[in-house]
Amino acid sequence: MDIAIEAITVELDGKLILEGLTACWSGPRVIGLIGANGSGKSTLLRTVTGEVVPTRGSVRVDGRLIGMGKPWKAFASGVYRVPQENRLPGGVSVRDCLMMAQDRSVYDTLAGSIGTAGLRRALAMREHRAIEVLQSCDCGDILDAVISRLSFGQQRIVSVLCGMASSRPVLLLDEPFAGLDSATLDILLVVLGGLRRLGRLLVIADHNVGALSSIADELVLLKDRVVVLTGPPRTVLDSGCYATLFNR
């Protein structure tokens, strides 16, 4: 799975956010987006999903053009975005949340072709997948917990696990490390490492450069609305561009 971003320019509320930005990423890899506040990291992720419409340029996933302003087309093409803000349904259990996050096409086909028996089997398959996802990171103890009663960190982990349950090959994560304590951060890094081993392409925007560098195969430094440097974490962090930007 690959993402090709071709010379995109984005203007929001009369302000130029991205200008002629080009990048190409292929999985399975972890790509870390870094840059100062306002450098366009979140906007770039939302443009890839079609939520933000660029004034120029295009985004392709495996060669297929993403319909700008049509995020469901990005999802159908294999892209899932985990936003920074919590959007989980608070009144349901973790089990139900992970079941709802799954790609329903296979299950719906099964249910439609076999009737009631197929529906029961489809639901059982979705439940099994939900349990499997939780057990993959030793979080099975929260299976029946109500989302609203989970801690902030637990909700963040469930948000990422929804991406795992969706089976989308590309996951975009917007500041997943923000506000996490060290123990929860360690769990999340294990989850993300597992997703990479499953063959996913992860693109993560975050200000926690240390955590990001520990898992990323490649860092992408954004400055002045464009990509100014791309490379292995150590190469980017030792560069003059990074030092100048963050006064290191």
Side-chain angles (χ1 to χ4, degrees):
M1 181 65 68
D2 64 79
I3 298 174
I5 301 165
E6 302 170 3
I8 61 169
T9 293
V10 174
E11 187 174 335
L12 298 175
D13 297 325
K15 181 180 179 181
L16 198 58
I17 308 297
L18 300 171
E19 185 175 15
L21 186 146
T22 295
C24 186
W25 305 314
S26 299
R29 287 174 72 77
V30 177
I31 307 297
L33 302 182
I34 62 174
N37 285 328
S39 60
K41 302 183 297 298
S42 296
T43 300
L44 177 56
L45 295 184
R46 292 171 60 217
T47 304
V48 172
T49 62
E51 296 169 77
V52 169
V53 179
T55 54
R56 288 190 298 275
S58 63
V59 177
R60 296 178 184 273
V61 176
D62 266 4
R64 289 172 290 183
L65 187 66
I66 296 298
M68 295 296 102
K70 301 175 180 178
W72 63 90
K73 288 194 173 183
F75 182 83
S77 297
V79 180
Y80 187 103
R81 184 173 76 92
V82 180
Q84 181 182 3
E85 62 276 10
N86 175 30
R87 294 183 182 176
L88 298 175
V92 305
S93 69
V94 173
R95 180 201 306 262
D96 289 341
C97 189
L98 292 175
M99 289 176 66
M100 290 187 291
Q102 295 174 47
D103 184 346
R104 296 181 296 178
S105 58
V106 174
Y107 307 113
D108 289 349
T109 299
L110 179 63
S113 62
I114 310 179
T116 303
L119 177 60
R120 286 197 296 266
R121 185 180 174 192
L123 289 172
M125 289 172 62
R126 292 173 72 176
E127 182 176 25
H128 176 76
R129 175 60 177 158
I131 295 171
E132 183 180 63
V133 165
L134 277 173
Q135 290 179 338
S136 71
C137 60
D138 296 324
C139 293
D141 57 320
I142 64 171
L143 179 65
D144 293 311
V146 176
I147 294 292
S148 60
R149 297 180 181 176
L150 296 178
S151 69
F152 172 82
Q154 287 174 320
Q155 291 188 35
R156 180 64 55 79
I157 289 173
V158 173
S159 293
V160 176
L161 291 179
C162 283
M164 178 187 286
S166 76
S167 298
R168 302 294 89 183
V170 178
L171 264 65
L172 312 179
L173 300 100
D174 195 354
E175 299 201 28
F177 307 143
L180 299 185
D181 58 56
S182 59
T184 305
L185 177 58
D186 288 343
I187 294 172
L188 184 53
L189 289 173
V190 170
V191 171
L192 295 175
L195 284 166
R196 183 189 184 283
R197 288 190 293 275
L198 287 172
R200 309 288 182 89
L201 169 60
L202 308 180
V203 183
I204 307 172
D206 208 279
H207 290 286
N208 189 333
V209 177
L212 201 49
S213 299
S214 72
I215 193 173
D217 298 289
E218 180 180 317
L219 289 182
V220 177
L221 178 60
L222 274 65
K223 180 184 179 184
D224 297 330
R225 302 180 293 278
V226 298
V227 173
V228 295
L229 186 62
T230 297
R234 195 69 269 157
T235 300
V236 173
L237 298 182
D238 288 343
S239 70
C241 290
Y242 178 79
T244 300
L245 183 60
F246 293 99
N247 297 316
R248 299 298 175 91

